[in-house]
Amino acid sequence: EAGVTQFPSHSVIEKGQTVTLRCDPISGHDNLYWYRRVMGKEIKFLLHFVKESKQDESGMPNNRFLAERTGGTYSTLKVQPAELEDSGVYFCASSQVSHNTEAFFGQGTRLTVV
Amino acid sequence: GNSVTQMEGPVTLSEEAFLTINCTYTATGYPSLFWYVQYPGEGLQLLLKATKADDKGSNKGFEATYRKETTSFHLEKGSVQVSDSAVYFCALRDNQGGKLIFGQGTELSVKP
């Protein structure tokens, strides 16, 4: 069974450009989470989808970040326009049931804004 | 709000040394507690978990006990190997929605 897959693995963009990260969860997992780790600090929650609905987006830093999960399958996280402080590693995770089952993580996308 | 604090790294040990990585938490209620590990070039993997007070999670020689009285979940291993070199994250699971709240990570380097 395929795990959680994230694309791209690395991205280097200039300040002001747009970048779109993609996450393919494990098939059948309704719950999808985005997290971010900035410069060796803690991994911070960004948002949570249940199927195609945003369950909790309290961690989204500002309106330059837009997450979608059309059809309840894969998800995208767009940053527009990117700023230097957006650099970090973006992780995606999926789970079957939010409370009681393990969340499986992807390898992450390392975003560098220069 | 809920939070997790873990000891800062990096931690450098010789092979076969004893490892402790401290983790304490602040939470309402009784969250589940986790240790995740990120090996070089890989994603986060669940190492072990505990879902209630006094539970002990264990895996690959690592252990951690859920201590409600001290709000701690320290990670231990009796004899580390070079292959244990990785970044270790302590986390708790929010009781609403299931999101994870992580500590800042501890980088472990084990030298032969």
Side-chain angles (χ1 to χ4, degrees), chain A residues 20-41:
Chain A
T20 300
L21 314 181
R22 173 170 168 149
C23 170
D24 286 70
I26 293 173
S27 177
H29 282 193
D30 287 343
N31 292 277
L32 188 149
Y33 304 83
W34 283 99
Y35 295 86
R36 176 174 74 169
R37 188 182 191 211
V38 174
M39 279 299 291
K41 296 187 177 179

Side-chain angles (χ1 to χ4, degrees), chain B residues 18-102:
Chain B
F18 184 85
L19 168 71
T20 299
I21 301 178
N22 290 336
C23 172
T24 57
Y25 67 91
T26 302
T28 53
Y30 303 101
S32 295
L33 300 175
F34 304 83
W35 277 99
Y36 279 83
V37 59
Q38 185 179 21
Y39 297 104
E42 299 183 14
L44 286 167
Q45 301 174 26
L46 178 63
L47 180 60
L48 53 84
K49 68 178 181 182
T51 58
K52 61 184 186 296
D54 300 325
D55 265 3
K56 177 186 283 188
S58 61
N59 186 26
K60 299 182 180 181
F62 290 89
E63 293 183 339
T65 301
Y66 190 142
R67 301 285 189 200
K68 186 165 67 76
E69 62 277 9
T70 54
T71 61
S72 65
F73 193 55
H74 305 321
L75 181 69
E76 296 183 336
K77 186 175 185 181
S79 176
V80 293
Q81 305 300 312
V82 172
S83 57
D84 294 326
S85 298
V87 182
Y88 293 80
F89 295 92
C90 184
L92 65 82
R93 182 162 58 200
D94 192 284
N95 286 331
Q96 295 186 351
K99 70 184 180 190
L100 292 165
I101 297 169
F102 288 89

Side-chain angles (χ1 to χ4, degrees), chain A residues 11-23:
Chain A
S11 180
V12 180
I13 62 171
E14 292 184 350
K15 175 182 172 181
Q17 288 186 322
T18 298
V19 63
T20 300
L21 314 181
R22 173 170 168 149
C23 170

